[in-house]
Amino acid sequence: MQEIDLLVIGAGMAGLTAAARATRDGKRVVVLEVSDDVGGSARFAGYAWTAPSREVMDEVNPAGDETLRHALVDRFADGVAWIRSTGVEAREPVPVLGFGSGHQFDTNQYVDVCRRLVTEAGGEVRLRTTVERLLTEGGRVTGALAVGADGAAEELRAPWTLLATGGFQGDADLLAEHVHPRAGGMQLRSNPHSTGTGYRLAAEVGAATGHQDAGFYGHLVPSGITFADPSDFVDLSLYYSEHALLFNLENQRFTDETLGDHLTTMALLEQPESRGLLVADARVHRDWVVGSYVEGAVALDKFAVASRRGGRVGLAESLDELDYLPEEWGYDGAAVRAQVEAYNRASTAQEPVSPGRRRDPAPLDEGPWYVVECVPAVTFPFYGVLIDDSARVLGADGAPVPGLLCAGSDSGGLYDRAYAGGLASALVFGLAAARTATGGD
């Protein structure tokens, strides 16, 4: 049995942020990680961003927990300052998703620096380690029973335990239960080790979880292409969908695509067979398909990538050529063409369309037209362990579960059918967890 000040379960963005911050505050920390390396899904990211004000956050995420969403906005600048305090450069802010603001930084360098801060101060980061259960005493969580790579079990005692295992996107059954019956069939644009450990450990000690039907964060990707490498998580994501038109198998538009690819992704999951036809014209291809999604990101022709990798793609020199969509795809090409023409007429005449096109109502009337069949891919769910703005886990009665913290994608309540940054949340509430562990109850 080992006594420590903070036990962290999960060595991703949230867990390592909390561990490094608590270490700098003089606490002894042990971090447990199930995989072969630290970093989790943060290894595949590059920006910390969120809404620039409470007002914007309230507009884009009205159903999310008000206390959490305001804490994220209010403390984001302190989070960026923390990154810089570790010696990692966080660049000047750039626009993200049309409403957000964020900073590009080397996430790989950051997680490695955090690990070094912990170990050089005498703490530990243990890899290939699983957690069997949380330890409790008198209603308080007092640590965990961990099993190391050698199979040996050990009780680790701490006044505070942080759950930061990255969500449950790697568990098809939990996705089907808490996101959508077909959610377990989505490709995973995330590390494969986030399989719900934090969620299960919290539930076993009476934590509250939610919210059902809150959705998930993800992006559209070309159908029929399997991710071959983590670089595909970005290279295959069809961010430009917010400027294109998307049709379901009934040859109908079903959502306002312009509100964001991440929201369209949630909407497509609920359509027949969870697949759809994305149509862009030459303007969209020129301005958005081959451009950078975020300033500073590498530009990549997503249509060319999908074509080269064997996705269902097509190029129509005229709208009439949409009539010849392959029959085996399951769409009525003539009906899709008629819908595009009808949209273009209404757009040119500045007449309303349904669903609306709030942010890019321009017609798609410049040939050629680029067609890609797409499906949703998941990064992490919004359903999770409920917390307060101090990162304390809440019980079914709404009171904190003594000794238990949670941050990052293990937590729920922050987003509900909306999204304004994942790394930002891990950063802000990871720091909150460290503050709570440092200051006590």
Side-chain angles (χ1 to χ4, degrees):
M1 186 176 69
Q2 188 174 159
E3 295 282 351
I4 53 182
D5 297 309
L6 173 63
L7 176 62
V8 178
I9 304 172
M13 182 74 181
L16 286 174
T17 294
R21 176 73 257 190
T23 295
R24 185 173 281 183
D25 289 339
K27 300 300 182 180
R28 174 163 167 73
V29 180
V30 171
V31 182
L32 308 179
E33 169 58 41
V34 69
S35 69
D36 295 331
D37 195 10
V38 303
S41 296
R43 291 280 189 192
F44 316 133
Y47 292 81
W49 73 276
T50 193
S53 68
R54 286 187 172 191
E55 292 73 22
V56 173
M57 177 65 86
D58 292 346
E59 178 184 356
V60 300
N61 181 32
D65 181 273
E66 182 179 60
T67 300
L68 297 181
R69 68 182 192 238
H70 287 175
L72 177 57
V73 171
D74 295 346
R75 301 175 192 170
F76 180 61
D78 291 339
V80 175
W82 158 256
I83 292 174
R84 290 171 172 158
S85 79
T86 68
V88 175
E89 179 188 10
R91 298 182 182 177
E92 290 305 303
V94 297
V96 181
L97 286 188
F99 67 85
S101 179
H103 303 261
Q104 187 178 27
F105 71 109
D106 187 334
T107 54
N108 287 281
Q109 179 191 12
Y110 175 74
V111 295
D112 289 336
V113 166
C114 286
R115 169 169 54 182
R116 189 170 68 248
L117 288 172
V118 172
T119 57
E120 288 181 350
E124 296 180 63
V125 177
R126 302 185 186 181
L127 304 177
R128 298 179 295 280
T129 300
T130 59
V131 175
E132 295 292 307
R133 58 183 174 84
L134 296 176
L135 304 176
T136 59
E137 185 175 331
R140 184 181 185 94
V141 173
T142 57
L145 176 64
V147 178
D150 60 358
E154 181 181 5
E155 288 189 357
L156 296 167
R157 299 278 180 177
W160 291 101
T161 299
L162 170 63
L163 302 175
T165 68
F168 57 75
Q169 59 271 17
D171 188 295
D173 291 337
L174 286 176
L175 286 173
E177 181 180 356
H178 296 300
V179 176
H180 187 275
R182 288 196 297 272
M186 290 188 289
Q187 281 209 86
L188 184 64
R189 56 186 310 278
S190 161
N191 85 85
H193 302 290
S194 294
T195 56
T197 296
Y199 165 79
R200 292 187 179 93
L201 291 172
E204 288 170 358
V205 296
T209 59
H211 295 116
Q212 201 72 13
D213 199 39
F216 65 99
Y217 170 58
H219 284 290
L220 298 179
V221 298
S223 67
I225 303 177
T226 301
F227 293 142
D229 183 87
S231 63
D232 282 345
F233 300 162
V234 171
D235 292 353
L236 289 175
S237 291
L238 303 173
Y239 304 122
Y240 71 88
S241 77
E242 56 201 57
H243 302 281
L245 297 175
L246 183 62
F247 299 91
N248 60 20
L249 280 170
E250 297 170 346
N251 313 299
Q252 299 290 325
R253 291 182 56 238
F254 53 89
T255 190
D256 182 346
E257 303 94 337
T258 70
L259 298 182
D261 181 75
H262 59 295
L263 300 179
T264 301
T265 299
M266 281 189 278
L268 183 58
L269 176 64
E270 298 171 348
Q271 295 300 303
E273 298 185 24
S274 300
R275 59 189 178 102
L277 206 63
L278 193 63
V279 180
D281 71 346
R283 172 186 66 87
V284 173
H285 182 268
R286 180 177 60 249
D287 295 347
W288 302 104
V289 177
V290 298
S292 296
Y293 181 57
V294 181
E295 182 181 326
V298 175
L300 193 65
D301 187 336
K302 300 302 183 78
F303 180 83
V305 171
S307 178
R308 188 168 61 248
R309 295 283 292 273
R312 283 183 168 177
V313 304
L315 185 66
E317 295 296 336
S318 69
L319 278 176
D320 289 343
E321 291 185 13
L322 290 179
D323 290 9
Y324 304 104
L325 286 173
E327 185 177 340
E328 63 270 19
W329 289 14
Y331 304 88
D332 184 332
V336 170
R337 184 253 307 155
Q339 290 291 320
V340 175
E341 291 175 335
Y343 167 77
N344 286 342
R345 287 193 298 271
S347 176
T348 301
Q350 297 186 342
E351 297 173 351
V353 296
S354 182
R357 296 270 295 180
R358 191 166 76 183
R359 292 180 180 160
D360 186 354
L364 274 69
D365 57 2
E366 182 183 343
W369 287 264
Y370 299 80
V371 179
V372 178
E373 187 184 58
C374 57
V375 294
V378 60
T379 307
F380 65 88
F382 297 148
Y383 185 99
V385 180
L386 298 186
I387 62 172
D388 65 13
D389 64 345
S390 296
R392 297 179 299 180
V393 171
L394 301 177
D397 60 356
V401 176
L404 189 59
L405 306 165
C406 182
S409 299
D410 276 348
S411 65
L414 172 61
Y415 296 128
D416 194 319
R417 295 279 162 174
Y419 180 67
L423 282 189
S425 169
L427 175 66
V428 165
F429 293 105
L431 291 173
R435 264 194 317 274
T436 300
T438 300
D441 289 310

